[in-house]
Amino acid sequence: MGHSHSHSHTHSDLKGRNLVISIILNIVITIAQVIGGLLSGSLSLLSDALHNFSDVISLVVSYIANKLSGQAASLQKTFGYKRAEILAAFVNAAALIIVAIYLIKEAIIRFQDPQVIESGLVIWLSLVAIIGNGFSVLLLKKASESNMNMKSAYLHLLTDMMASVAVLIGGLLMKYYQIFWVDSVLTFAIALYLIVMGFDLLKDSFRVLMLFTPNTIQIKEIVDDIQGIEEIKNVHHVHIWQLNEDEIHLEAHIDFKNDISLSQFDKILHTVEDLVHDNYGINHINIQPEFGKCDKKDVIVQD
């Protein structure tokens, strides 16, 4: 038995509503930027439109994952869809990097052959994108602080807002100073930033999907703390993983000094639960009690 923490349906519904608003805004921005980019000849505006389109896809993925994560567990799906949001974060981060690589390729080609661009249209459409994406960023900011899926959606929108700011600056430089190569340079800079941000999220979501121990937890410290309980002789065969943002699981074998009763074990189990929850944020534990069993006593056992 472990400590568990649940979020209300209201909180999940609010996240879903904010995602729907952001999806609609980004569809409108994407259509406007594609038309404007084709009319003006601006690669940075078209690249921003492409990024906005990737935002739409990522937001839809995040919305579906958000809805799936609230579904109840079943006999066939004992964890339900609790990892759907982590999977969505991984997919969105990978998409962010792929889009960025494509933008770098296009920017290099355009830099070698700068084009005259209708800067007035670029300026106005970038302003529209800044306002739309800025509003979406504000909607998702709070949820992004505690949810990897929402963070992936938030990063898509934040980087797109910054890209639109860069496009605006480029439009002003083209309008007043006729520096048309800046369009390609800004596209390249935007793409590099996307790769940096996307890689961090890709790495974090990959760690969760692979059941790695969270970076904030040191297994040796936990083992030492548990073994500090008087009745416990040894802690071994330890597994610690993060199911999603809300749940960290611990599984271990505990070798007791004496052949204790079930009621005594229950009391010690409560002590262990409180210790790992209060000190390490672990809210689900599964302990296998042992006495005098001849097996490997290594903390990490190679199965």
Side-chain angles (χ1 to χ4, degrees):
M1 183 176 69
H3 298 270
S4 63
H5 301 272
S6 61
H7 294 286
S8 67
H9 290 294
T10 304
H11 184 58
S12 181
D13 290 343
L14 183 62
K15 287 194 295 184
R17 188 203 68 182
N18 289 344
L19 282 169
V20 169
I21 294 171
S22 299
I23 289 168
I24 293 170
L25 281 173
N26 273 271
I27 288 173
V28 172
I29 292 170
T30 300
I31 293 171
Q33 286 185 323
V34 167
I35 295 171
L38 292 172
L39 291 175
S40 67
S42 170
L43 177 62
S44 62
L45 196 56
L46 283 172
S47 70
D48 205 19
L50 179 60
H51 185 205
N52 257 309
F53 181 65
S54 76
D55 285 347
V56 173
I57 295 172
S58 73
L59 289 168
V60 170
V61 170
S62 293
Y63 178 77
I64 294 170
N66 176 248
K67 291 300 179 186
L68 284 175
S69 66
Q71 290 192 13
S74 67
L75 291 174
Q76 286 73 38
K77 303 177 182 72
T78 55
F79 279 117
Y81 288 89
K82 288 184 177 180
R83 311 201 90 193
E85 292 196 289
I86 304 297
L87 185 60
F90 181 82
V91 170
N92 285 339
L96 206 60
I97 294 171
I98 292 169
V99 168
I101 292 171
Y102 173 78
L103 294 182
I104 288 174
K105 173 178 170 288
E106 291 300 311
I108 292 172
I109 293 172
R110 178 61 71 91
F111 185 77
Q112 295 169 342
D113 183 25
Q115 304 291 315
V116 176
I117 293 162
E118 176 51 54
S119 54
L121 196 55
V122 172
I123 291 169
W124 283 109
L125 284 174
S126 60
L127 281 170
V128 170
I130 290 168
I131 294 169
N133 281 313
F135 181 67
S136 297
V137 164
L138 290 175
L139 283 176
L140 302 186
K141 187 177 187 305
K142 187 174 181 180
S144 71
E145 294 170 1
S146 59
N147 183 283
M148 203 176 286
N149 177 36
M150 297 301 287
K151 183 179 180 181
S152 71
Y154 171 79
L155 281 178
H156 270 271
L157 293 168
L158 178 64
T159 52
D160 207 40
M161 185 182 74
M162 293 180 66
S164 297
V165 171
V167 172
L168 174 61
I169 294 170
L172 292 170
L173 288 173
M174 288 184 285
K175 182 176 178 65
Y176 295 105
Y177 299 99
Q178 284 72 54
I179 307 176
F180 294 106
W181 54 261
V182 74
D183 188 62
S184 300
V185 172
L186 288 171
T187 301
F188 189 84
I190 291 164
L192 285 180
Y193 184 76
L194 290 180
I195 289 174
V196 172
M197 298 298 288
F199 181 74
D200 281 344
L201 184 59
L202 189 72
K203 184 174 62 176
D204 290 343
S205 54
F206 179 78
R207 286 186 62 86
V208 177
L209 290 173
M210 291 300 293
L211 302 180
F212 292 169
T213 303
N215 287 326
T216 55
I217 291 177
Q218 298 297 319
I219 289 182
K220 188 66 172 64
E221 290 181 12
I222 294 178
V223 169
D224 289 343
D225 282 352
I226 296 175
Q227 287 181 170
I229 298 172
E230 185 180 350
E231 296 88 350
I232 293 175
K233 179 181 179 182
N234 176 271
V235 179
H236 56 283
H237 209 140
V238 177
H239 295 281
I240 299 177
W241 71 94
Q242 188 172 352
L243 183 67
N244 55 21
E245 271 84 10
D246 302 320
E247 297 181 25
I248 299 177
H249 291 238
L250 180 150
E251 176 183 277
H253 295 198
I254 291 183
D255 195 12
F256 287 90
K257 294 176 182 176
N258 301 304
D259 190 3
I260 62 174
S261 67
L262 189 59
S263 59
Q264 287 175 298
F265 169 70
D266 196 41
K267 289 179 182 178
I268 296 169
L269 179 60
H270 278 293
T271 302
V272 174
E273 285 176 347
D274 290 339
L275 187 154
V276 299
H277 178 265
D278 296 342
N279 295 346
Y280 302 99
I282 296 171
N283 44 19
H284 289 265
I285 73 170
N286 182 24
I287 299 299
Q288 178 174 313
E290 297 175 352
F291 172 69
K293 184 179 179 182
C294 295
D295 62 350
K296 292 181 180 180
K297 302 299 181 184
D298 299 330
V299 172
I300 304 297
V301 175
Q302 302 298 327
D303 294 321

